[in-house]
């Protein structure tokens, strides 16, 4: 049990040192990504280009069209259906108050 903990701790230390060593080499531009063959700077530029292309495509695809024919009457009707009952209750309260206080 004790021996296994020491082994795990040693492996964690070794992995952390390896990560730091690889990061230092990547920062200097010495390491090229084996899958793509790009240096870290080229990889960042490529990712930025891809992100810009995705953003442009998203904005082209999701442009808001203006109002269509028949939208204005539908908006007015829905506003009346939402706020009409509230206005009726307020008018009733005001008329009842006026009737009781005169």
């Amino acid at each position: 049990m004790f021996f296994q903990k020491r082994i795990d701790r040693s492996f964690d230390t070794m992995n952390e040192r390896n990560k730091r060593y690889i990061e230092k080499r990547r920062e200097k531009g010495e390491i090229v990504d084996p899958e793509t063959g790009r240096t870290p700077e080229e990889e960042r530029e490529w990712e930025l280009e891809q992100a810009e292309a995705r953003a442009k495509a998203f904005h082209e695809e999701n442009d808001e069209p203006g109002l269509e024919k028949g939208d204005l009457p539908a908006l007015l009707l829905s506003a009346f259906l939402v706020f009409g009952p509230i206005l009726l209750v307020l008018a009733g309260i005001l008329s009842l108050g006026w009737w009781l206080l005169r």
Side-chain angles (χ1 to χ4, degrees):
M1 186 86 158
F2 176 73
F3 189 66
Q4 184 63 34
K5 288 181 182 179
R6 291 184 68 187
I7 290 174
D8 290 341
R9 186 172 170 217
S10 298
F11 276 117
D12 290 340
T13 304
M14 181 183 66
N15 285 334
E16 187 62 33
R17 286 181 181 168
N18 286 341
K19 286 179 190 176
R20 289 180 189 170
Y21 174 73
I22 290 172
E23 282 301 315
K24 285 180 185 176
R25 300 254 337 254
R26 280 194 180 142
E27 287 173 3
K28 292 179 183 177
E30 297 173 354
I31 294 180
V32 175
D33 189 11
E35 294 178 8
T36 60
R38 292 187 283 257
T39 63
E41 292 81 20
E42 292 171 344
E43 186 73 23
R44 283 186 218 109
E45 290 174 10
W46 180 80
E47 287 175 356
L48 182 62
E49 290 171 3
Q50 294 298 316
E52 289 174 352
R54 284 192 305 268
K56 184 177 179 183
F58 175 80
H59 287 296
E60 288 175 358
E61 186 177 298
N62 294 321
D63 267 349
E64 291 289 330
L67 291 177
E68 294 181 3
K69 185 177 181 180
D71 280 351
L72 190 60
L75 286 171
L76 294 175
L77 179 63
S78 64
F80 177 73
L81 289 174
V82 169
F83 296 111
I86 297 170
L87 294 175
L88 285 175
V89 169
L90 287 176
I93 291 172
L94 287 175
S95 62
L96 182 64
W98 182 76
W99 182 72
L100 289 176
L101 295 175
R102 64 176 173 127

